[in-house]
Amino acid sequence: MKTPRVTARAHTNIALVKYWGKRDEDLIIPMNGSLSLTLDEFYTETTVQFDSKQQTDHLILDGVTQPTTRVTPFLDIIRNQAGITAGAVVTSTNHVPTAAGLASSASAYAALAAAASKAAGLTLNRQDLSRLARRGSGSATRSVFGGFVEWQAGTNDATSYAVPIDEHPTWPIRMVTVVVDRAEKKIGSRAGMQTVVKTSPFYQEWVKKAQADLAAIKSAIAAHDIQQTGAIAESNAMAMHALNLTATPHFTYFTAGSLTAMHCVEELRAKGIPCYYTMDAGPNVKVLCEEQHVAAILTALQAHFDKNDLLVAHPGPGVQIIREN
């Protein structure tokens, strides 16, 4: 017997206050809370169907069959909740470079959580869907919601989930993504976090800073204060990346292109244009700004980067079921 084929779409999010390190590796409970902006430019569409004739799961990503090493344990959580044993066929298309620091895992697991739970016959509220998505990828817990989203760290599976801060911002906030490199990063987020938590002598100070940054940035967002919001986001990102340089062995996601983009933003800011950079676990730089300054920022960046590698994103929506048959 086959279940309905369900397709969900989820968008990536970029953290303005980062999550970098887990309290619980299995449940993916973070050391600190975080806050992100869901973007309309990058998204994943995933279709799931369970079939009792399927003894194993099958994953097709961007038209290519892939191993199900990470997908099957995640689907097992859903099967256990739904009381089914059928294998699943998962077909997914990423409209975002995979594993390049553009939060492809966030959109991927948020879409998978929504499509698979619906296909399995579960009816989850958004809080429970956020908890489920977290089990696949920590940042996916935030992609369940649109706009500005806080991931409340919690201490266990029941208390760690995301909540919307402002799902439909009237503030004309924009994120310019500088695609420095579309290749898969050499050090994955999970491995990077584990190394930092275990070996950086500054890790506990990072947790304190992240908690303070989270409280401060929520106030700045509520006030639509681009200078304060941007300054906190930029400082938080650099603190996270500094941890990587203090780990053993040390590592970095920065490339020459990353530094060029950051220097360009700093030069723009010196000229009076309020724009601020952030980076997740990858070389690509994201520039936080307001709509009125986008043109000037693009002009400056085009002196160093191809215009096709400069993408302007607006606040995006939360996860949606787009087809069911």
Side-chain angles (χ1 to χ4, degrees):
M1 182 176 178
K2 294 182 179 180
T3 67
R5 296 178 76 248
V6 179
T7 302
R9 177 186 296 152
H11 292 252
T12 65
N13 69 78
I14 298 300
L16 304 181
V17 171
K18 310 294 187 186
Y19 130 69
W20 198 238
K22 302 181 183 72
R23 181 190 304 271
D24 186 310
E25 290 283 344
D26 293 330
L27 294 175
I28 311 185
I29 309 297
M31 289 286 197
N32 60 272
S34 57
L35 186 143
S36 63
L37 178 63
T38 302
L39 305 178
D40 66 345
E41 181 69 23
F42 307 114
Y43 61 93
T44 301
E45 287 187 359
T46 297
T47 301
V48 179
Q49 183 175 44
F50 290 95
D51 185 349
S52 57
K53 294 182 180 179
Q54 289 275 151
Q55 295 185 347
T56 59
D57 297 319
H58 294 272
L59 171 63
I60 301 169
L61 174 61
D62 295 331
V64 179
T65 299
Q66 302 283 350
T68 62
T69 311
R70 286 187 61 186
V71 169
T72 290
F74 183 76
L75 292 173
D76 284 342
I77 297 170
I78 295 170
R79 279 187 280 257
N80 288 337
Q81 289 185 26
I84 63 174
T85 58
V89 177
V90 179
T91 305
S92 190
T93 303
N94 257 338
H95 297 270
V96 50
T98 301
L102 286 168
S104 59
S105 65
S107 57
Y109 277 97
L112 180 59
S117 61
K118 183 79 170 177
L122 296 175
T123 302
L124 302 182
N125 61 34
R126 293 202 298 170
Q127 178 179 308
D128 287 338
L129 187 59
S130 178
R131 290 175 51 240
L132 174 61
R134 189 200 74 236
R135 300 290 298 275
S137 170
S139 55
T141 198
R142 299 185 304 245
S143 278
V144 169
F145 301 96
F148 290 102
V149 184
E150 177 187 356
W151 178 8
Q152 298 178 342
T155 56
N156 54 38
D157 181 47
T159 59
S160 186
Y161 52 84
V163 295
I165 297 299
D166 183 358
E167 283 210 82
H168 307 286
T170 56
W171 187 17
I173 199 79
R174 301 292 181 263
M175 186 80 79
V176 179
T177 296
V178 185
V179 183
V180 173
D181 190 345
R182 295 176 185 269
E184 184 170 344
K185 57 198 176 191
K186 295 180 181 179
I187 300 172
S189 300
R190 292 191 179 200
M193 286 184 203
Q194 290 170 350
T195 299
V196 164
V197 172
K198 290 177 183 176
T199 67
S200 172
F202 305 110
Y203 188 75
Q204 291 307 315
E205 291 303 314
W206 151 260
V207 173
K208 294 177 185 177
K209 174 178 171 54
Q211 290 169 336
D213 287 345
L214 180 58
I217 204 168
K218 286 196 286 186
S219 296
I221 290 169
H224 291 186
D225 186 337
I226 185 63
Q227 293 180 323
Q228 188 69 3
T229 301
I232 294 167
E234 186 171 295
S235 171
N236 185 268
M238 292 303 98
M240 186 203 95
H241 285 276
L243 284 178
N244 302 337
L245 295 172
T246 64
T248 303
H250 61 267
F251 62 97
T252 184
Y253 294 105
F254 291 177
T255 65
S258 307
L259 295 172
T260 296
M262 288 189 281
H263 290 159
C264 185
V265 170
E266 290 167 358
E267 289 173 357
L268 283 164
R269 205 158 61 226
K271 295 175 182 177
I273 296 176
C275 55
Y276 303 83
Y277 51 76
T278 186
M279 291 175 62
D280 284 338
N284 301 308
V285 177
K286 298 89 179 179
V287 184
L288 190 70
C289 62
E290 292 179 316
E291 172 67 31
Q292 68 199 72
H293 299 297
V294 168
I297 293 167
L298 290 175
T299 297
L301 288 169
Q302 283 173 13
H304 308 281
F305 301 95
D306 189 289
K307 64 180 182 181
N308 294 322
D309 290 329
L310 304 175
L311 307 170
V312 181
H314 297 62
V319 67
Q320 300 167 305
I321 300 296
I322 58 174
R323 283 187 300 276
E324 182 177 359
N325 52 49

